[in-house]
């Protein structure tokens, strides 16, 4: 299930979006401040962020820059600022789309669907991916060998694997993985990742010593190669 973080200081907008998104089977997390948004993104990593720029504590552009410091999650700005300079600043900071208020819910939902489609098959509800002779079901959170044997993963192993599979072919930095799985205080603990990637390769790769799918990019991070 795709998780969306909605950030807005207007209670009626938060309520309306929560209801409409949940009705369409999205998992919804809400925040009404910039600091709350950054905390929520770290503790419950979203697949997409819908962000108002006019927040009471931080400007939304600062929130975008804060998120872009460690995650490539798509961001749709939802703002009453209609000026071209505001749009350019938000997009330059790392936003993926910009919707002005007042807005139609159906238009916003269409933008969300469009961004979700661009993310690739790993983000769609019910998506399955292959890692060697194993099928990973992201919706059911299961891993099954071609012979039908189910492979058991610990919660942390699953979290690391899921973060890589949701960005097929793309480099995921060590910092991003550590931040999203363990938290910001563990951003320098690269030995954690070495240990958990070794465990995942032993369970999923045909030849763990020569992995074909869970790839290390030395000094930078890791990559899921479909």
């Amino acid at each position: 299930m795709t998780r969306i973080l909605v950030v807005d200081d207007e209670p009626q907008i938060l309520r309306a979006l929560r209801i409409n998104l949940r009705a369409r089977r999205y998992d919804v997390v809400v925040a009404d401040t910039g600091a709350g948004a950054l905390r929520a993104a770290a503790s419950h990593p979203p697949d997409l962020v819908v962000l108002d720029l006019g927040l009471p504590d931080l400007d939304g552009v600062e929130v975008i820059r804060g998120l872009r410091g460690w995650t490539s999650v798509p961001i749709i700005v939802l703002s009453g600022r209609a000026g071209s300079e505001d749009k350019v600043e938000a997009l330059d900071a790392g936003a993926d789309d910009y919707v002005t208020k007042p807005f139609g819910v159906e238009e916003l939902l269409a933008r969300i669907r469009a961004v979700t489609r661009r993310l690739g098959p790993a983000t769609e509800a019910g998506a399955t991916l292959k890692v060697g002779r194993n099928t990973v079901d992201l919706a059911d959170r299961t891993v099954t060998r071609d012979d039908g044997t189910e492979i058991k993963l610990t919660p942390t192993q699953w979290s690391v694997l899921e973060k890589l599979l949701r960005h097929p072919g793309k480099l995921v930095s060590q910092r991003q993985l550590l931040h999203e799985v363990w938290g910001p205080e563990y951003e320098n603990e690269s030995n954690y990742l070495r240990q958990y990637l070794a465990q995942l390769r032993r369970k999923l790769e045909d030849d763990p010593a020569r992995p074909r799918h869970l790839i290390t990019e030395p000094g930078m991070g890791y990559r899921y190669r479909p």
Side-chain angles (χ1 to χ4, degrees), residues 6 12 17 25 49 57 62 65 69 80 90 103 126 172 194 215 226:
V6 180
Q12 63 272 27
L17 291 180
R25 301 182 62 80
V49 177
D57 57 341
E62 295 180 56
R65 291 179 179 135
F103 65 96
V172 182
R194 287 194 295 271
I215 308 301

Side-chain angles (χ1 to χ4, degrees), residues 6-8 10 13-14 17 49-55 75-81 90 95 97-104 107-108:
V6 180
V7 188
D8 202 299
E10 297 183 46
I13 290 181
L14 283 182
L17 291 180
V49 177
V50 176
L51 173 69
D52 181 25
L53 295 183
L55 300 171
I75 300 171
I76 298 177
V77 169
L78 184 62
S79 176
R81 303 176 189 175
D97 203 349
Y98 197 108
V99 180
T100 56
K101 296 179 181 178
F103 65 96
E107 178 192 357
L108 178 61

Side-chain angles (χ1 to χ4, degrees), residues 31-226:
D32 57 7
T33 65
L38 294 173
R39 286 195 300 269
S43 59
H44 302 284
D47 300 300
L48 185 144
V49 177
V50 176
L51 173 69
D52 181 25
L53 295 183
L55 300 171
D57 57 341
L58 297 174
D59 187 84
V61 173
E62 295 180 56
V63 177
I64 295 171
R65 291 179 179 135
L67 291 169
R68 284 291 174 258
W70 59 273
T71 179
S72 59
V73 62
I75 300 171
I76 298 177
V77 169
L78 184 62
S79 176
R81 303 176 189 175
S84 60
E85 291 184 3
D86 294 305
K87 293 181 181 180
V88 169
E89 185 180 17
L91 293 169
D92 281 348
D96 296 271
D97 203 349
Y98 197 108
V99 180
T100 56
K101 296 179 181 178
F103 65 96
V105 171
E106 291 302 325
E107 178 192 357
L108 178 61
L109 290 169
R111 302 286 187 100
I112 290 172
R113 290 193 297 271
V115 170
T116 302
R117 283 195 298 271
R118 291 199 296 270
L119 292 177
T123 61
E124 298 293 340
T128 58
L129 301 99
K130 293 289 289 185
V131 180
R133 293 178 294 169
N134 310 293
T135 299
V136 182
D137 190 314
L138 291 174
D140 292 340
R141 297 174 71 88
T142 58
V143 182
T144 309
R145 288 195 187 281
D146 287 347
D147 63 6
T149 304
E150 185 173 349
I151 299 174
K152 299 296 185 182
L153 299 182
T154 68
T156 303
Q157 288 171 350
W158 177 264
S159 293
V160 173
L161 179 64
E162 184 179 26
K163 297 297 180 296
L164 294 175
L165 297 190
R166 287 191 178 277
H167 301 280
K170 296 183 180 180
L171 174 70
V172 182
S173 70
Q174 294 181 3
R175 182 183 180 192
Q176 179 180 343
L177 277 170
L178 288 164
H179 192 121
E180 293 188 10
V181 176
W182 284 276
E185 64 272 24
Y186 291 89
E187 287 181 357
N188 296 318
E189 301 293 341
S190 58
N191 60 305
Y192 281 35
L193 289 175
R194 287 194 295 271
Q195 294 173 15
Y196 277 90
L197 262 297
Q199 294 168 9
L200 287 169
R201 287 167 180 148
R202 284 196 293 270
K203 291 185 175 184
L204 303 177
E205 294 276 6
D206 290 340
D207 184 353
R210 297 178 178 82
R212 297 179 57 195
H213 303 286
L214 303 178
I215 308 301
T216 299
E217 300 288 354
M220 295 185 293
Y222 299 88
R223 190 189 309 269
Y224 161 57
R225 182 184 294 161

